[in-house]
């Protein structure tokens, strides 16, 4: 694997590994994730204002990110089935440890499903207890046009995220504003039914050592 590359986003800590996963590794990972979400089906969250997301979501791990009229939060169970989220596959935990070197495992893996017209507006990820832990993102399927800029505004820059690309957000980039402008539909045939799946690994819960 080559990289990471530090991409010039105007902020340090955006680490990018293009093609971190080869075709076989992408297929193996996707098969495992789709198997897991059979018991935690993709659903359509709404914003606290009641607007449906165009992205459909599920989660793996002890903590799952959800949004509804009550707000954004992490919770242990699927909002529709009431069941605990399935575990994070070992190959994802290994990727986290190998690429981030973070001493603790992630406890949350958000699974975002983008069909062709889905997008995600500019936002910050700040619902996690420890904002010093990195975030690791794995892209599968169609290429996405990703946008990232400094936390407090100003210029943004756009980076294409293709199937098998992995990025880590650490340090100053951890609180960057970012979003997905659009997909390049048909750029990959990996996801059944078309589109893109993004896996975002995070430490959401307070670490047990923290007081
Ligand atoms: C930059 N997901 O779920 S992944 C999200 O492709 C989210 O589904 C996008 O933003 C997606 O919150 C982008 C790349 C990513 C993930 C987390 C970040 C970029 C980030 C956290 C901080 C800064
Ligand atoms: Fe985000």
């Amino acid at each position: 694997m080559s990289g990471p590359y530090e991409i010039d986003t105007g902020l340090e800590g955006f680490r990018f590994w293009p093609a971190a996963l080869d075709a076989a590794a992408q297929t193996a990972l996707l098969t495992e994730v789709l198997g897991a979400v059979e018991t935690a089906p993709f659903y359509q969250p709404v914003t606290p204002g009641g607007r449906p997301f165009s992205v459909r979501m599920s989660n793996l791990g002890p903590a799952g990110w959800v949004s509804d009229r009550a707000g954004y939060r992490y919770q242990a169970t699927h909002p529709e089935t009431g069941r605990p989220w399935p575990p994070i596959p070992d190959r994802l935990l290994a990727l986290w440890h190998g690429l981030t070197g973070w001493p603790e495992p992630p406890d949350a893996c958000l699974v975002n499903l983008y069909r062709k017209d889905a997008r995600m507006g500019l936002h910050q990820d700040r619902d996690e207890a420890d904002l010093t832990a990195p975030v690791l993102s794995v892209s599968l399927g169609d290429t996405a046009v990703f946008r990232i800029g400094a936390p407090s505004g100003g210029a943004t820059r756009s980076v294409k995220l293709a199937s098998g690309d992995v990025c880590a957000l650490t340090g100053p980039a951890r609180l960057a504003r970012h979003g997905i402008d659009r997909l390049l539909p048909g750029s990959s045939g990996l996801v059944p039914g078309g589109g893109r799946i993004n896996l975002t690994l995070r430490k959401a819960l307070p670490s047990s050592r923290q007081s």
Side-chain angles (χ1 to χ4, degrees):
M1 182 187 306
S2 58
Y5 298 87
E6 283 271 346
I7 300 260
D8 181 19
T9 52
L11 64 173
E12 211 174 318
F14 180 81
R15 299 163 67 202
F16 186 46
W17 293 267
L21 303 180
D22 64 17
Q26 292 169 41
T27 299
L29 177 58
L30 182 64
T31 300
E32 248 183 320
V33 169
L34 292 179
V37 301
E38 275 178 29
T39 58
F42 289 110
Y43 72 100
Q44 187 169 36
V46 298
T47 66
R51 236 180 94 97
F53 282 75
S54 59
V55 178
R56 289 197 285 148
M57 297 183 181
S58 186
N59 287 276
L60 306 172
W65 187 88
V66 299
S67 174
D68 60 22
R69 287 194 168 267
Y72 306 136
R73 66 190 172 279
Y74 282 92
Q75 67 178 42
T77 55
H78 190 287
E80 292 178 353
T81 69
R83 298 173 65 183
W85 304 106
I88 301 175
D90 284 344
R91 67 175 72 241
L92 272 176
L93 298 175
L95 196 66
W96 164 276
H97 289 294
L99 295 183
T100 71
W102 195 254
E104 296 168 314
D107 50 30
C109 177
L110 177 61
V111 185
N112 288 329
L113 173 63
Y114 295 76
R115 296 299 188 190
K116 68 175 172 24
D117 292 320
R119 56 200 66 227
M120 188 179 285
L122 276 184
H123 66 277
Q124 289 177 293
D125 290 13
R126 46 185 325 147
D127 302 321
E128 298 74 31
D130 178 1
L131 296 173
T132 68
V135 172
L136 191 75
S137 154
V138 182
S139 293
L140 296 171
D142 283 344
T143 298
V145 180
F146 170 70
R147 179 171 296 285
I148 183 166
S152 50
T156 59
R157 100 150 246 188
S158 140
V159 179
K160 281 183 184 162
L161 299 179
S163 195
D165 291 354
V166 176
C167 59
L169 296 307
T170 67
R174 176 65 183 77
L175 286 176
R177 290 180 309 139
H178 61 278
I180 296 292
D181 288 347
R182 63 193 166 89
L183 298 196
L184 306 183
S187 46
S188 159
L190 186 70
V191 173
R196 168 174 188 263
I197 287 182
N198 180 262
L199 307 170
T200 306
L201 293 161
R202 302 187 176 92
K203 269 198 63 71
L205 304 176
S207 125
S208 48
R209 287 161 181 275
Q210 224 165 278
S211 54

